[in-house]
Amino acid sequence: MSRFKAIFLDCGDTLIDERTEEKLPDSEVVIRADLIPGAKEMMDSLKAAGHKLILVADGPRQTFVNMLTHHGLWDHFDARIISEDVGVHKPDARMFDAALAAAGLTRDDTWRTVMVGNNLSRDICGANALGITSIFMAWSTLRTHEPANPSEVPDYRIESPAELPGLLEKIEALTKYPVPFAQR
């Protein structure tokens, strides 16, 4: 039995290389961008392992449809929580609550989820506030790698997408069952 019931994933500089984004003229909608090296293989591996994958991303819905469909990743996600749809951006708890609900979980299940993202003030801070295991994707240098305060300190850090499946296995091994009855 897997500890993790859902893996929440950001998109920009977690799956997609933000430096390669091409936007529609006078728009925030991205029409195409390159994947980070190893992102497709990571997503294929996580999906093949049976993980429930939830996109938790800030931006226009059409951006993610465009980029992820182009690379064959849109359908890897069991649900897509996008700020344009929710009406708020991370670290707002409503983004994470929507992701939990989409996974069939509640705040009592946050210990059974993980958030992977590149933005300490949005992805990591938001996950930490709810007790979601936070993993900082330190692949890009577009944003700071230094936490501004304790709320931005990630539980784990990876340098590339290829490291995520192994890290999840390591975390699983560190948290062997049985878990306390109150956490089941």
Side-chain angles (χ1 to χ4, degrees), residues 50-157:
H51 289 289
K52 187 175 286 191
L53 305 176
I54 311 291
L55 177 68
V56 183
D58 292 329
R61 169 172 274 278
Q62 194 59 49
T63 287
F64 304 108
V65 171
N66 293 344
M67 293 187 303
L68 297 171
T69 300
H70 175 78
H71 293 292
L73 295 179
W74 182 257
D75 290 333
H76 279 54
F77 289 100
D78 296 281
R80 296 153 204 92
I81 306 305
I82 299 170
S83 63
E84 180 181 61
D85 300 335
V86 178
V88 295
H89 290 85
K90 297 172 285 180
D92 193 298
R94 289 173 283 185
M95 287 289 287
F96 297 94
D97 286 335
L100 288 165
L105 303 171
T106 68
R107 283 199 183 182
D108 290 339
D109 300 304
T110 57
W111 67 277
R112 302 170 88 180
T113 61
V114 62
M115 175 69 202
V116 183
N118 71 308
N119 190 313
L120 294 170
S121 66
R122 288 185 177 197
D123 303 313
I124 303 308
C125 180
N128 288 345
L130 295 180
I132 296 169
T133 300
S134 59
I135 301 175
F136 178 57
M137 176 71 74
W139 178 84
S140 174
T141 56
L142 285 179
R143 289 182 183 76
T144 185
H145 288 204
E146 296 300 319
N149 58 61
S151 73
E152 295 182 3
V153 176
D155 294 315
Y156 299 93
R157 175 189 170 116

Side-chain angles (χ1 to χ4, degrees), residues 14-16 35-44 73 161-162:
T14 301
L15 300 172
I16 297 290
L35 284 176
I36 292 173
K40 174 87 166 96
E41 295 81 3
M42 173 196 74
M43 292 292 290
D44 290 344
L73 295 179

